[in-house]
Amino acid sequence: MQEAWWRGAAIYQVYLRSFADGNGDGLGDLAGLRGRLDYLSKLGIDAIWLNPWYPSPMSDGGYDVADYRSIEPIFGTLAEAEKLIQEAHERDIKIIIDVVPNHSSDQSAWFQEALAAGPGSPMRERFWFRSGHREGPPNDWQSIFGGPAWTQVPDGEWYLHLFAPEQPDFNWNSPAVREEFLDVLRFWLDRGVDGVRIDSAAVLIKDPDAEPDGLDPYTDRDGVHEIYREWRRVSDTYPGRFLIGEVWLPDQERFARYLRPDELHTAFNFDFLSCPWDPAALRRVIDDTLATHVPIGAPPTWVLSNHDVTRPVTRYGRPDTSFDHGDRKHGMTSDRELGVRRARAAALLAMALPGGVYVYQGEELGLPEVEDIPDALLQDPIWARSGHTDRGRDGCRVPLPWSGDAPPYGYGGEPWLPQPADWGPLTVEAQEADPSSMLNLYRTALRIRRESLGDGTLTWLPLGEEVLAFTRDSGLTCVVNLGREPVRLPEHQRIRLASDEVDGDLLPADTAVWLV
């Protein structure tokens, strides 16, 4: 690993509620994660990123935080979290936590104090409380989860929530809010966490008083950058720590501003994640990403999936292989065999690119999106807020299968979301015994990546319009055939790793190889 370990790290995302259940209540927890650290060590990752683990009513899967300095009891205790950090470090695995600065829970002490204090109170200045007009909310902003972004309280005022009503937005014009989060950063950095992922990083600054109806409240504003300069000054006092932003922006120039030397260290590459399985589109995204990052010295990140996105095996098997939060394409026909083949090739592509790579739990098992969860069991707030038109994100959050041939597949108690009956061949136990499994492909690729890839540069090779081919600094060459016909591989190189079987020097469609 480089001195700045995060520049080329392989980071594994743990959605704690669905990873492993250590106490048998059907909910993943810290005990379950601690019991699987050796699995993650064998997988070959460098760090674990955990989705929010704080006390929460779970109105949005923990992204409605009630207390930023403690642990949700269903997950464990603060002492267990500190033990996890220690045990992970003993295995040379870093820990990254999720901080949610845009909003809190409506059950947080601050918000409850604001409600009790009434209009005009300084307590309400920490949030966006406003009077309505025209017998309605202050403006026509809409929540990203559907419906109005304003909710009225009994005294007649309205509060802003860009997400669910249970997630009131902080007012970052308030000095108290700024100081609170600087202290939260220090609290966790003092406990040994190695990185902080910042949720909804671009939308903190807004002004509903000065903005007319119809102006997009999700547009980033320049004032957000001073916030992250303050955060960077704090993180820089802790050697080896880093900040990563969840920044969804189509404008690459504005995106790059978050990665200036005195702001965030890295940001998620959502253009790559959303890109269809198309050679020209992928080449364009890769080139644009490198063009954005290289001049400012920031490492790119490559992400195929996360807790909000349709799983690759399902997405890549559809006629439309792109991803869009506005249209998740629920119910679109998906060819499982084709999706698996492309997902394997995409994994080798992502891991070969220069910079860091993220692996979402279950991606290494080739889990599909679960699209037939009964309506009555869906828990994502998007389902209710959309008027039951968008089934939301539960399908990629189904608990992992570890062993056995029937639910709960060694996960623990009865899972909080139902697991499919046909997941027996996808368990860790079953895949460990199969040399050609997705799990063993990931293990081998992550091992080679640690030896020969990670941070650095690439040089493109001209192997045809349907092929992505490049050589990395170490001399390893990656070739991905996204066309329909086999293509000839470069001469005088041998295959180090292939996503599927290769016949001689012809690379089949939807297949990737690493050559040396």
Side-chain angles (χ1 to χ4, degrees), residues 369-405:
E369 187 84 357
V370 182
E371 298 191 282
D372 59 354
I373 299 172
D375 291 358
L377 298 181
L378 290 172
Q379 301 193 32
D380 191 338
I382 290 177
W383 172 239
R385 293 279 293 174
S386 68
H388 296 168
T389 60
D390 186 337
R391 295 179 64 81
R393 303 159 294 179
D394 287 334
C396 65
R397 300 177 176 183
V398 173
L400 299 190
W402 292 95
S403 61
D405 55 10

Side-chain angles (χ1 to χ4, degrees), residues 39-279:
Y39 165 79
L40 295 177
S41 179
K42 186 176 181 181
L43 183 60
I45 53 97
D46 302 303
I48 297 168
W49 156 39
L50 293 111
N51 290 98
W53 56 1
Y54 315 103
S56 168
M58 295 291 167
S59 296
D60 182 24
Y63 281 90
D64 47 323
V65 179
D67 180 357
Y68 289 85
R69 297 177 183 81
S70 189
I71 297 295
E72 165 58 41
I74 66 172
F75 295 148
T77 65
L78 182 57
E80 283 184 277
E82 292 171 337
K83 192 68 173 174
L84 168 70
I85 295 168
Q86 174 190 332
E87 292 171 347
H89 286 172
E90 290 170 355
R91 293 164 173 80
D92 198 25
I93 296 174
K94 312 287 189 182
I95 294 292
I96 302 165
I97 62 165
D98 214 319
V99 170
V100 187
N102 181 69
H103 49 263
S104 73
S105 166
D106 62 350
Q107 300 303 306
S108 68
W110 270 18
F111 192 73
Q112 288 298 308
E113 290 170 358
L115 288 179
S121 166
M123 297 294 184
R124 291 203 170 182
E125 294 176 2
R126 298 167 174 171
F127 301 91
W128 289 108
F129 280 91
R130 292 294 182 269
S131 298
H133 61 88
R134 302 190 304 273
E135 298 182 356
N139 62 33
D140 69 352
W141 286 357
Q142 296 294 297
S143 161
I144 197 171
F145 287 167
W150 296 92
T151 290
Q152 194 169 30
V153 299
D155 58 40
E157 287 201 323
W158 301 72
Y159 68 88
L160 176 68
H161 52 86
L162 295 189
F163 294 85
E166 296 85 359
Q167 296 168 287
D169 279 33
F170 285 114
N171 177 3
W172 275 85
N173 296 329
S174 164
V177 171
R178 295 188 180 226
E179 287 301 318
E180 168 73 359
F181 276 93
L182 292 176
D183 190 69
V184 167
L185 283 180
R186 296 185 188 99
F187 179 89
W188 290 108
L189 292 171
D190 285 342
R191 278 156 182 77
V193 302
D194 304 282
V196 173
R197 181 261 191 187
I198 305 163
D199 181 68
S200 301
V203 300
L204 271 56
I205 299 296
K206 70 263 308 180
D207 187 354
D209 298 322
E211 292 161 356
D213 285 0
L215 189 63
D216 183 3
Y218 303 99
T219 301
D220 76 311
R221 288 158 172 80
D222 291 341
V224 75
H225 296 288
E226 182 51 41
I227 294 170
Y228 296 130
R229 291 188 185 99
E230 292 178 339
W231 287 36
R232 180 62 177 264
R233 287 193 287 271
V234 170
S235 71
D236 280 350
T237 65
Y238 296 83
R241 318 302 173 87
F242 87 126
L243 304 172
I244 180 166
E246 182 195 28
V247 181
W248 288 84
L249 288 178
D251 186 327
Q252 287 297 303
E253 180 180 348
R254 297 193 69 86
F255 177 88
R257 296 179 187 180
Y258 289 82
L259 302 176
R260 289 177 289 198
D262 61 345
E263 294 191 42
L264 306 181
H265 297 84
T266 66
F268 284 98
N269 187 348
F270 292 111
D271 288 344
F272 184 75
L273 179 152
S274 303
C275 190
W277 186 249
D278 174 83

Side-chain angles (χ1 to χ4, degrees), residues 305-326:
S305 63
N306 63 31
H307 64 292
D308 290 332
V309 174
T310 304
R311 287 193 175 276
V313 163
T314 297
R315 179 160 54 93
Y316 286 138
R318 291 171 172 170
D320 182 347
T321 55
S322 65
F323 176 78
D324 185 342
H325 282 292

Side-chain angles (χ1 to χ4, degrees), residues 251-257 259 271 285-298 300:
D251 186 327
Q252 287 297 303
E253 180 180 348
R254 297 193 69 86
F255 177 88
R257 296 179 187 180
L259 302 176
D271 288 344
V285 166
I286 293 168
D287 282 340
D288 288 349
T289 298
L290 296 176
T292 299
H293 288 74
V294 171
I296 55 177

